[in-house]
Amino acid sequence: MTTPVPAKRDLRAVVLAARRAQTSAALDEADTALAARLPELVAPGAALTVCAYVPMAGEPGGPGLPDRLAATPGVARVLLPVLRPDRDLDWAAYAGPGSLAPAAFGLREPAGPRLGVTGITTADLVLVPAVAVDRRGTRLGRGGGSYDRALARVSGGTPVIALLYDGELLDEIPAEAHDQRVNGMLTPSGLRRIPG
Ligand SMILES: Nc1nc2c(c(=O)[nH]1)N(C=O)[C@@H](CNc1ccc(C(=O)N[C@@H](CCC(=O)O)C(=O)O)cc1)CN2
Ligand SMILES: Nc1ncnc2c1ncn2[C@@H]1O[C@H](COP(=O)(O)OP(=O)(O)OP(=O)(O)O)[C@@H](O)[C@H]1O
């Protein structure tokens, strides 16, 4: 007999409950360890455009992620998502502390010029939020399908890395046809690349 794979919705609820059960001190410590590993993704002499995100409360990376990334040697430009009414993602450059504006769902978003949904195609590296990822790189997100659409525009050679807390790499997430895989994940314990 095989063990049934729990549905995405159930997996999402389990992982998000585990995040909420962490103390803020434990989350801060994990976010600090994660951020300290950002240089592992970037050659210091590079001048990369990196698509990232502004972590919400309890989301890997912590609120300081855009600043940590912007300060990472080899990162020239940080682009952040702007959620469109149709749940697709527009993109805009991160302009530094104090430049983000409150948006729907408690998100904080850049207020500057929008680059359009194809802004993500200018990225050399894409860091994505995730609830969990499995061994094949199947990503579980918030359920809006935003990154499925955005990542479909990224060319094959561009690394897509999910930021996760330890324990959020799962054996198997039920994959659907539209699901876009990630190439690896960065956790407080290290970078793990998906072979292939
Ligand atoms: N930090 C961060 N930014 C991001 C994402 C993300 O996952 N994390 N997104 C990733 O796509 C996009 C935003 N998508 C989101 C979609 C839903 C919810 C949310 O909180 N949904 C409610 C239910 C909303 C409803 O009423 O339908 C929830 O989950 O409780 C948040 C962000 C773009 N920016
Ligand atoms: N290319 C697409 N165009 C329109 N809708 C899509 C597309 N891809 C996925 N969707 C829809 O989005 C919904 C949620 O998909 P899924 O559960 O994979 O989201 P997710 O990856 O967890 O969310 P997110 O990317 O926002 O974090 C599904 O109902 C799916 O049909």
Side-chain angles (χ1 to χ4, degrees):
M1 234 178 77
T2 55
T3 311
V5 178
K8 276 186 173 182
R9 204 188 48 223
D10 298 340
L11 285 174
R12 190 178 285 125
V14 168
V15 175
L16 292 179
R19 283 184 184 172
R20 281 194 297 270
Q22 297 291 314
T23 63
S24 61
L27 286 174
D28 283 352
E29 192 182 328
D31 288 331
T32 301
L34 242 178
R37 291 191 178 278
L38 291 172
E40 296 178 27
L41 300 170
V42 186
L48 304 187
T49 292
V50 181
C51 279
Y53 61 97
V54 187
M56 296 183 284
E59 210 175 28
L65 180 67
D67 285 320
R68 290 296 297 257
L69 202 51
T72 300
V75 173
R77 197 164 68 123
V78 175
L79 302 185
L80 297 172
V82 179
L83 184 64
R84 295 178 7 144
D86 65 0
R87 298 216 163 189
D88 205 337
L89 299 181
D90 206 333
W91 297 88
Y94 179 51
S99 67
L100 299 174
F105 300 124
L107 295 165
R108 288 186 306 139
E109 298 179 339
R114 308 297 198 243
L115 305 174
V117 295
T118 57
I120 194 171
T121 65
T122 66
D124 303 295
L125 169 67
V126 181
L127 303 185
V128 297
V131 174
V133 169
D134 77 8
R135 294 176 186 287
R136 292 183 305 168
T138 302
R139 168 185 170 276
L140 180 68
R142 293 263 155 193
S146 302
Y147 274 92
D148 292 322
R149 281 177 269 183
L151 293 177
R153 304 181 179 113
V154 174
S155 72
T158 307
V160 176
I161 307 291
L163 267 48
L164 294 175
Y165 293 126
D166 290 318
E168 296 175 347
L169 168 60
L170 306 180
D171 270 345
E172 189 181 354
I173 293 169
E176 298 174 82
H178 62 253
D179 281 331
Q180 295 289 320
R181 302 249 184 109
V182 301
N183 306 114
M185 39 258 171
L186 190 69
T187 71
S189 305
L191 174 64
R192 179 176 171 132
R193 290 189 188 274
I194 311 274

